[in-house]
Amino acid sequence: MKRTIRNLLITIGADLAAAGLLVWYESTQFDIREQYIRILSDAFFVAGMLTLCFGLILLAANAGALYAAGYLWKKLGQKLSRRRKEVPDYYDYVQEKRAKKKISLSHFFISSSIFIAVGVVFAVIHG
């Protein structure tokens, strides 16, 4: 449980940093005194969507959707390296990957839903 809370706090911190970067960028482009609600809405929504997309990519990788790409890179590395480290065949590679413990990704989806919700609230307020 402590690890999940720690991961959630790290993800929220990364989202806040991304939102802060977007607020800084948009404040250089627009007058922040007139459009601060829209700028906050954009920043929170974009940060939440980035985290959601990253979490979905990790979810697909966790489910095994990227095993073929990983195997391809291993085989390519074997062909290009001077030392001939033997790479197992694809079936053994997949079984080895499936045996590894899967990571929890709930913190990505919790953080992204919070930031998207805050962005939507700011958008509704901005009207």
Side-chain angles (χ1 to χ4, degrees):
M1 187 65 177
K2 289 181 182 179
R3 183 176 218 155
T4 304
I5 293 172
R6 181 183 59 103
N7 288 343
L8 180 62
L9 292 175
I10 290 171
T11 307
I12 288 174
D15 280 344
L16 283 174
L21 188 65
L22 284 164
V23 166
W24 170 78
Y25 175 74
E26 287 197 14
S27 68
T28 62
Q29 302 296 319
F30 306 103
D31 186 17
I32 196 166
R33 290 170 293 189
E34 294 176 6
Q35 300 183 7
Y36 66 94
I37 297 290
R38 186 196 58 81
I39 290 173
L40 286 174
S41 171
D42 289 349
F44 278 96
F45 188 78
V46 168
M49 288 303 292
L50 287 174
T51 304
L52 179 66
C53 290
F54 190 69
L56 288 174
I57 289 171
L58 288 178
L59 182 68
N62 222 6
L66 302 177
Y67 287 161
Y71 183 73
L72 173 73
W73 281 108
K74 261 194 167 183
K75 284 299 269 189
L76 186 63
Q78 175 194 9
K79 297 284 185 196
L80 296 177
S81 71
R82 292 188 179 163
R83 52 190 168 100
R84 296 290 180 195
K85 183 180 176 187
E86 187 62 33
V87 176
D89 61 345
Y90 184 69
Y91 178 78
D92 294 334
Y93 177 80
V94 169
Q95 294 305 320
E96 175 186 321
K97 289 290 185 180
R98 285 184 180 161
K100 290 184 178 179
K101 183 181 177 189
K102 303 294 183 188
I103 58 173
S104 172
L105 300 171
S106 62
H107 56 280
F108 284 108
F109 300 113
I110 293 170
S111 176
S112 65
S113 63
I114 290 169
F115 274 75
I116 290 171
V118 169
V120 167
V121 166
F122 279 134
V124 168
I125 290 172
H126 184 261

